[in-house]
Structures are given as structure tokens and as C-alpha cells.
Amino acid sequence: MENGKAFIEFANKDNPVNIFAIDINGEAAGGIDIHPQSDVHRKNAELGYWLAEPFWGQGVITMAIKEMVDFAFETYDINRVFARPFGTNKASQRVLEKAGFKLEASIEKSLYKNGEVIDELIYAARR
């Protein structure tokens, strides 16, 4: 309970709020967030998302990503929204492509997860 309250406080600290729940019929099904960058990266924002497995394959996350990209371009002075899925996460790559993102880079064996060295991909949508 304490961790949940701390996360809600964290998620609501920015103005405008940039971390949202994905609600399906009143049930929290996932989350999506946009994080504007700073300094030389200030014309960019990073997208993150997660969707509970029972809701996969229904177009939910693709729609949420499209809505979040629209929100980002309307709300922030940015030209690019990017996401960095694991090279092993084919579903996330397909979702980004369906939402209009293009693969910009593949960084070979740059991440370490669950005892395995994996690729990092960078996808982006531009204004």
C-alpha cells in the first residue's frame, strides 16, 4: 500500500501530468508515460508503456501510444518522441511500427537483462 501511494504521488508531481493509467472498463490495465528530455535533447521526449497480458492483441496499446504521441506534440515543444524496446521484444517493436514509429537505430549487445546481453532498439515518431 505504501509503495502504491508513493508511486501515485510520483506520477502526479509533474505539471502537466505525464504518467497515465490505461483504463479498460474501469480496470487498470497498464500504464503509459512521456518524459520530455532536457539540455541538447530538449526537443525530444521518451515514451514508455506497459500493458497487462490479458489485454494484449486487442489494439489497446497501439491506440494508447497514438494518443500519447498526439498529447506530447500538443503539450511540449518537441519534434520527436522515441521509445527504446529490447531487441528481444518483437511485440513491442510491432506495436511501435503500427503506431507510426520508425526504427532509427539498433545498438548491438548494449543491455544486460536476466543474465543475457541483448540489443537495444531506438524507434521514433516525428512531428
Side-chain angles (χ1 to χ4, degrees), residues 102-118:
K102 304 285 186 226
L103 178 64
E104 290 188 337
S106 175
I107 305 167
E108 224 176 280
K109 300 186 186 323
S110 60
L111 303 174
Y112 185 76
K113 182 176 179 178
N114 299 330
E116 184 181 0
V117 178
I118 59 176

mmCIF file with all atom_site columns, all heavy atoms in Angstrom, residues 102-118:
data_model
loop_
_atom_site.group_PDB
_atom_site.id
_atom_site.type_symbol
_atom_site.label_atom_id
_atom_site.label_alt_id
_atom_site.label_comp_id
_atom_site.label_asym_id
_atom_site.label_entity_id
_atom_site.label_seq_id
_atom_site.pdbx_PDB_ins_code
_atom_site.Cartn_x
_atom_site.Cartn_y
_atom_site.Cartn_z
_atom_site.occupancy
_atom_site.B_iso_or_equiv
_atom_site.pdbx_formal_charge
_atom_site.auth_seq_id
_atom_site.auth_comp_id
_atom_site.auth_asym_id
_atom_site.auth_atom_id
_atom_site.pdbx_PDB_model_num
ATOM 1   N N   . LYS A 1 102 ? 9.298  4.698   -36.585 1.00 0.00 ? 102 LYS A N   1
ATOM 2   C CA  . LYS A 1 102 ? 10.296 4.115   -37.489 1.00 0.00 ? 102 LYS A CA  1
ATOM 3   C C   . LYS A 1 102 ? 11.526 3.708   -36.673 1.00 0.00 ? 102 LYS A C   1
ATOM 4   O O   . LYS A 1 102 ? 11.919 4.401   -35.729 1.00 0.00 ? 102 LYS A O   1
ATOM 5   C CB  . LYS A 1 102 ? 10.733 5.137   -38.541 1.00 0.00 ? 102 LYS A CB  1
ATOM 6   C CG  . LYS A 1 102 ? 9.607  5.720   -39.355 1.00 0.00 ? 102 LYS A CG  1
ATOM 7   C CD  . LYS A 1 102 ? 9.081  4.746   -40.373 1.00 0.00 ? 102 LYS A CD  1
ATOM 8   C CE  . LYS A 1 102 ? 8.052  5.407   -41.265 1.00 0.00 ? 102 LYS A CE  1
ATOM 9   N NZ  . LYS A 1 102 ? 6.883  4.649   -41.477 1.00 0.00 ? 102 LYS A NZ  1
ATOM 10  N N   . LEU A 1 103 ? 12.140 2.603   -37.073 1.00 0.00 ? 103 LEU A N   1
ATOM 11  C CA  . LEU A 1 103 ? 13.382 2.160   -36.430 1.00 0.00 ? 103 LEU A CA  1
ATOM 12  C C   . LEU A 1 103 ? 14.503 3.110   -36.846 1.00 0.00 ? 103 LEU A C   1
ATOM 13  O O   . LEU A 1 103 ? 14.752 3.293   -38.036 1.00 0.00 ? 103 LEU A O   1
ATOM 14  C CB  . LEU A 1 103 ? 13.720 0.728   -36.849 1.00 0.00 ? 103 LEU A CB  1
ATOM 15  C CG  . LEU A 1 103 ? 15.022 0.157   -36.290 1.00 0.00 ? 103 LEU A CG  1
ATOM 16  C CD1 . LEU A 1 103 ? 14.966 0.047   -34.762 1.00 0.00 ? 103 LEU A CD1 1
ATOM 17  C CD2 . LEU A 1 103 ? 15.319 -1.202  -36.912 1.00 0.00 ? 103 LEU A CD2 1
ATOM 18  N N   . GLU A 1 104 ? 15.138 3.735   -35.868 1.00 0.00 ? 104 GLU A N   1
ATOM 19  C CA  . GLU A 1 104 ? 16.242 4.652   -36.139 1.00 0.00 ? 104 GLU A CA  1
ATOM 20  C C   . GLU A 1 104 ? 17.603 4.019   -35.880 1.00 0.00 ? 104 GLU A C   1
ATOM 21  O O   . GLU A 1 104 ? 18.579 4.368   -36.524 1.00 0.00 ? 104 GLU A O   1
ATOM 22  C CB  . GLU A 1 104 ? 16.129 5.909   -35.268 1.00 0.00 ? 104 GLU A CB  1
ATOM 23  C CG  . GLU A 1 104 ? 15.005 6.809   -35.633 1.00 0.00 ? 104 GLU A CG  1
ATOM 24  C CD  . GLU A 1 104 ? 15.047 8.120   -34.875 1.00 0.00 ? 104 GLU A CD  1
ATOM 25  O OE1 . GLU A 1 104 ? 15.648 8.216   -33.789 1.00 0.00 ? 104 GLU A OE1 1
ATOM 26  O OE2 . GLU A 1 104 ? 14.447 9.086   -35.384 1.00 0.00 ? 104 GLU A OE2 1
ATOM 27  N N   . ALA A 1 105 ? 17.669 3.118   -34.896 1.00 0.00 ? 105 ALA A N   1
ATOM 28  C CA  . ALA A 1 105 ? 18.977 2.550   -34.546 1.00 0.00 ? 105 ALA A CA  1
ATOM 29  C C   . ALA A 1 105 ? 18.820 1.212   -33.853 1.00 0.00 ? 105 ALA A C   1
ATOM 30  O O   . ALA A 1 105 ? 17.815 0.947   -33.197 1.00 0.00 ? 105 ALA A O   1
ATOM 31  C CB  . ALA A 1 105 ? 19.744 3.507   -33.638 1.00 0.00 ? 105 ALA A CB  1
ATOM 32  N N   . SER A 1 106 ? 19.834 0.406   -34.020 1.00 0.00 ? 106 SER A N   1
ATOM 33  C CA  . SER A 1 106 ? 19.954 -0.855  -33.301 1.00 0.00 ? 106 SER A CA  1
ATOM 34  C C   . SER A 1 106 ? 21.336 -0.866  -32.676 1.00 0.00 ? 106 SER A C   1
ATOM 35  O O   . SER A 1 106 ? 22.342 -0.793  -33.388 1.00 0.00 ? 106 SER A O   1
ATOM 36  C CB  . SER A 1 106 ? 19.791 -2.029  -34.271 1.00 0.00 ? 106 SER A CB  1
ATOM 37  O OG  . SER A 1 106 ? 20.018 -3.244  -33.593 1.00 0.00 ? 106 SER A OG  1
ATOM 38  N N   . ILE A 1 107 ? 21.375 -0.919  -31.367 1.00 0.00 ? 107 ILE A N   1
ATOM 39  C CA  . ILE A 1 107 ? 22.647 -0.900  -30.650 1.00 0.00 ? 107 ILE A CA  1
ATOM 40  C C   . ILE A 1 107 ? 22.891 -2.306  -30.132 1.00 0.00 ? 107 ILE A C   1
ATOM 41  O O   . ILE A 1 107 ? 22.201 -2.786  -29.232 1.00 0.00 ? 107 ILE A O   1
ATOM 42  C CB  . ILE A 1 107 ? 22.628 0.139   -29.512 1.00 0.00 ? 107 ILE A CB  1
ATOM 43  C CG1 . ILE A 1 107 ? 22.242 1.511   -30.088 1.00 0.00 ? 107 ILE A CG1 1
ATOM 44  C CG2 . ILE A 1 107 ? 23.983 0.189   -28.822 1.00 0.00 ? 107 ILE A CG2 1
ATOM 45  C CD1 . ILE A 1 107 ? 21.892 2.540   -29.060 1.00 0.00 ? 107 ILE A CD1 1
ATOM 46  N N   . GLU A 1 108 ? 23.859 -2.946  -30.745 1.00 0.00 ? 108 GLU A N   1
ATOM 47  C CA  . GLU A 1 108 ? 24.115 -4.361  -30.506 1.00 0.00 ? 108 GLU A CA  1
ATOM 48  C C   . GLU A 1 108 ? 24.663 -4.632  -29.106 1.00 0.00 ? 108 GLU A C   1
ATOM 49  O O   . GLU A 1 108 ? 25.573 -3.954  -28.636 1.00 0.00 ? 108 GLU A O   1
ATOM 50  C CB  . GLU A 1 108 ? 25.146 -4.846  -31.538 1.00 0.00 ? 108 GLU A CB  1
ATOM 51  C CG  . GLU A 1 108 ? 24.809 -6.181  -32.147 1.00 0.00 ? 108 GLU A CG  1
ATOM 52  C CD  . GLU A 1 108 ? 25.809 -6.551  -33.220 1.00 0.00 ? 108 GLU A CD  1
ATOM 53  O OE1 . GLU A 1 108 ? 25.667 -6.024  -34.339 1.00 0.00 ? 108 GLU A OE1 1
ATOM 54  O OE2 . GLU A 1 108 ? 26.715 -7.348  -32.921 1.00 0.00 ? 108 GLU A OE2 1
ATOM 55  N N   . LYS A 1 109 ? 24.069 -5.624  -28.457 1.00 0.00 ? 109 LYS A N   1
ATOM 56  C CA  . LYS A 1 109 ? 24.546 -6.145  -27.176 1.00 0.00 ? 109 LYS A CA  1
ATOM 57  C C   . LYS A 1 109 ? 24.915 -5.036  -26.180 1.00 0.00 ? 109 LYS A C   1
ATOM 58  O O   . LYS A 1 109 ? 25.986 -5.042  -25.596 1.00 0.00 ? 109 LYS A O   1
ATOM 59  C CB  . LYS A 1 109 ? 25.745 -7.068  -27.422 1.00 0.00 ? 109 LYS A CB  1
ATOM 60  C CG  . LYS A 1 109 ? 25.397 -8.253  -28.313 1.00 0.00 ? 109 LYS A CG  1
ATOM 61  C CD  . LYS A 1 109 ? 26.546 -9.222  -28.436 1.00 0.00 ? 109 LYS A CD  1
ATOM 62  C CE  . LYS A 1 109 ? 26.332 -10.333 -29.401 1.00 0.00 ? 109 LYS A CE  1
ATOM 63  N NZ  . LYS A 1 109 ? 25.072 -10.940 -29.549 1.00 0.00 ? 109 LYS A NZ  1
ATOM 64  N N   . SER A 1 110 ? 23.977 -4.110  -25.995 1.00 0.00 ? 110 SER A N   1
ATOM 65  C CA  . SER A 1 110 ? 24.237 -2.970  -25.117 1.00 0.00 ? 110 SER A CA  1
ATOM 66  C C   . SER A 1 110 ? 23.502 -3.039  -23.782 1.00 0.00 ? 110 SER A C   1
ATOM 67  O O   . SER A 1 110 ? 23.771 -2.247  -22.886 1.00 0.00 ? 110 SER A O   1
ATOM 68  C CB  . SER A 1 110 ? 23.862 -1.675  -25.828 1.00 0.00 ? 110 SER A CB  1
ATOM 69  O OG  . SER A 1 110 ? 22.491 -1.683  -26.163 1.00 0.00 ? 110 SER A OG  1
ATOM 70  N N   . LEU A 1 111 ? 22.568 -3.992  -23.639 1.00 0.00 ? 111 LEU A N   1
ATOM 71  C CA  . LEU A 1 111 ? 21.780 -4.097  -22.415 1.00 0.00 ? 111 LEU A CA  1
ATOM 72  C C   . LEU A 1 111 ? 22.006 -5.463  -21.775 1.00 0.00 ? 111 LEU A C   1
ATOM 73  O O   . LEU A 1 111 ? 22.276 -6.444  -22.463 1.00 0.00 ? 111 LEU A O   1
ATOM 74  C CB  . LEU A 1 111 ? 20.293 -3.924  -22.728 1.00 0.00 ? 111 LEU A CB  1
ATOM 75  C CG  . LEU A 1 111 ? 19.893 -2.630  -23.437 1.00 0.00 ? 111 LEU A CG  1
ATOM 76  C CD1 . LEU A 1 111 ? 18.427 -2.667  -23.819 1.00 0.00 ? 111 LEU A CD1 1
ATOM 77  C CD2 . LEU A 1 111 ? 20.214 -1.420  -22.581 1.00 0.00 ? 111 LEU A CD2 1
ATOM 78  N N   . TYR A 1 112 ? 21.863 -5.495  -20.464 1.00 0.00 ? 112 TYR A N   1
ATOM 79  C CA  . TYR A 1 112 ? 22.021 -6.746  -19.726 1.00 0.00 ? 112 TYR A CA  1
ATOM 80  C C   . TYR A 1 112 ? 20.749 -6.976  -18.926 1.00 0.00 ? 112 TYR A C   1
ATOM 81  O O   . TYR A 1 112 ? 20.399 -6.179  -18.055 1.00 0.00 ? 112 TYR A O   1
ATOM 82  C CB  . TYR A 1 112 ? 23.234 -6.652  -18.791 1.00 0.00 ? 112 TYR A CB  1
ATOM 83  C CG  . TYR A 1 112 ? 23.542 -7.942  -18.088 1.00 0.00 ? 112 TYR A CG  1
ATOM 84  C CD1 . TYR A 1 112 ? 24.152 -8.993  -18.760 1.00 0.00 ? 112 TYR A CD1 1
ATOM 85  C CD2 . TYR A 1 112 ? 23.232 -8.101  -16.747 1.00 0.00 ? 112 TYR A CD2 1
ATOM 86  C CE1 . TYR A 1 112 ? 24.453 -10.185 -18.119 1.00 0.00 ? 112 TYR A CE1 1
ATOM 87  C CE2 . TYR A 1 112 ? 23.516 -9.290  -16.090 1.00 0.00 ? 112 TYR A CE2 1
ATOM 88  C CZ  . TYR A 1 112 ? 24.127 -10.326 -16.782 1.00 0.00 ? 112 TYR A CZ  1
ATOM 89  O OH  . TYR A 1 112 ? 24.414 -11.504 -16.145 1.00 0.00 ? 112 TYR A OH  1
ATOM 90  N N   . LYS A 1 113 ? 20.036 -8.061  -19.251 1.00 0.00 ? 113 LYS A N   1
ATOM 91  C CA  . LYS A 1 113 ? 18.774 -8.361  -18.570 1.00 0.00 ? 113 LYS A CA  1
ATOM 92  C C   . LYS A 1 113 ? 18.654 -9.868  -18.377 1.00 0.00 ? 113 LYS A C   1
ATOM 93  O O   . LYS A 1 113 ? 18.852 -10.640 -19.310 1.00 0.00 ? 113 LYS A O   1
ATOM 94  C CB  . LYS A 1 113 ? 17.581 -7.848  -19.391 1.00 0.00 ? 113 LYS A CB  1
ATOM 95  C CG  . LYS A 1 113 ? 16.261 -8.097  -18.679 1.00 0.00 ? 113 LYS A CG  1
ATOM 96  C CD  . LYS A 1 113 ? 15.091 -7.516  -19.416 1.00 0.00 ? 113 LYS A CD  1
ATOM 97  C CE  . LYS A 1 113 ? 13.840 -7.857  -18.626 1.00 0.00 ? 113 LYS A CE  1
ATOM 98  N NZ  . LYS A 1 113 ? 12.648 -7.349  -19.150 1.00 0.00 ? 113 LYS A NZ  1
ATOM 99  N N   . ASN A 1 114 ? 18.313 -10.251 -17.160 1.00 0.00 ? 114 ASN A N   1
ATOM 100 C CA  . ASN A 1 114 ? 18.100 -11.666 -16.827 1.00 0.00 ? 114 ASN A CA  1
ATOM 101 C C   . ASN A 1 114 ? 19.274 -12.548 -17.250 1.00 0.00 ? 114 ASN A C   1
ATOM 102 O O   . ASN A 1 114 ? 19.093 -13.631 -17.798 1.00 0.00 ? 114 ASN A O   1
ATOM 103 C CB  . ASN A 1 114 ? 16.803 -12.185 -17.450 1.00 0.00 ? 114 ASN A CB  1
ATOM 104 C CG  . ASN A 1 114 ? 15.587 -11.448 -16.943 1.00 0.00 ? 114 ASN A CG  1
ATOM 105 O OD1 . ASN A 1 114 ? 15.565 -10.974 -15.809 1.00 0.00 ? 114 ASN A OD1 1
ATOM 106 N ND2 . ASN A 1 114 ? 14.575 -11.322 -17.771 1.00 0.00 ? 114 ASN A ND2 1
ATOM 107 N N   . GLY A 1 115 ? 20.474 -12.055 -17.015 1.00 0.00 ? 115 GLY A N   1
ATOM 108 C CA  . GLY A 1 115 ? 21.670 -12.837 -17.306 1.00 0.00 ? 115 GLY A CA  1
ATOM 109 C C   . GLY A 1 115 ? 22.045 -12.907 -18.768 1.00 0.00 ? 115 GLY A C   1
ATOM 110 O O   . GLY A 1 115 ? 22.910 -13.690 -19.149 1.00 0.00 ? 115 GLY A O   1
ATOM 111 N N   . GLU A 1 116 ? 21.408 -12.085 -19.599 1.00 0.00 ? 116 GLU A N   1
ATOM 112 C CA  . GLU A 1 116 ? 21.652 -12.131 -21.040 1.00 0.00 ? 116 GLU A CA  1
ATOM 113 C C   . GLU A 1 116 ? 21.993 -10.733 -21.562 1.00 0.00 ? 116 GLU A C   1
ATOM 114 O O   . GLU A 1 116 ? 21.399 -9.744  -21.144 1.00 0.00 ? 116 GLU A O   1
ATOM 115 C CB  . GLU A 1 116 ? 20.380 -12.639 -21.728 1.00 0.00 ? 116 GLU A CB  1
ATOM 116 C CG  . GLU A 1 116 ? 20.496 -12.832 -23.200 1.00 0.00 ? 116 GLU A CG  1
ATOM 117 C CD  . GLU A 1 116 ? 19.193 -13.308 -23.840 1.00 0.00 ? 116 GLU A CD  1
ATOM 118 O OE1 . GLU A 1 116 ? 18.178 -13.486 -23.128 1.00 0.00 ? 116 GLU A OE1 1
ATOM 119 O OE2 . GLU A 1 116 ? 19.198 -13.487 -25.062 1.00 0.00 ? 116 GLU A OE2 1
ATOM 120 N N   . VAL A 1 117 ? 22.948 -10.645 -22.473 1.00 0.00 ? 117 VAL A N   1
ATOM 121 C CA  . VAL A 1 117 ? 23.281 -9.389  -23.135 1.00 0.00 ? 117 VAL A CA  1
ATOM 122 C C   . VAL A 1 117 ? 22.415 -9.304  -24.387 1.00 0.00 ? 117 VAL A C   1
ATOM 123 O O   . VAL A 1 117 ? 22.418 -10.214 -25.215 1.00 0.00 ? 117 VAL A O   1
ATOM 124 C CB  . VAL A 1 117 ? 24.779 -9.320  -23.499 1.00 0.00 ? 117 VAL A CB  1
ATOM 125 C CG1 . VAL A 1 117 ? 25.096 -8.022  -24.220 1.00 0.00 ? 117 VAL A CG1 1
ATOM 126 C CG2 . VAL A 1 117 ? 25.636 -9.448  -22.244 1.00 0.00 ? 117 VAL A CG2 1
ATOM 127 N N   . ILE A 1 118 ? 21.646 -8.213  -24.506 1.00 0.00 ? 118 ILE A N   1
ATOM 128 C CA  . ILE A 1 118 ? 20.689 -8.077  -25.610 1.00 0.00 ? 118 ILE A CA  1
ATOM 129 C C   . ILE A 1 118 ? 20.853 -6.730  -26.312 1.00 0.00 ? 118 ILE A C   1
ATOM 130 O O   . ILE A 1 118 ? 21.464 -5.803  -25.780 1.00 0.00 ? 118 ILE A O   1
ATOM 131 C CB  . ILE A 1 118 ? 19.228 -8.255  -25.127 1.00 0.00 ? 118 ILE A CB  1
ATOM 132 C CG1 . ILE A 1 118 ? 18.871 -7.218  -24.060 1.00 0.00 ? 118 ILE A CG1 1
ATOM 133 C CG2 . ILE A 1 118 ? 19.000 -9.666  -24.611 1.00 0.00 ? 118 ILE A CG2 1
ATOM 134 C CD1 . ILE A 1 118 ? 17.418 -7.264  -23.602 1.00 0.00 ? 118 ILE A CD1 1
#
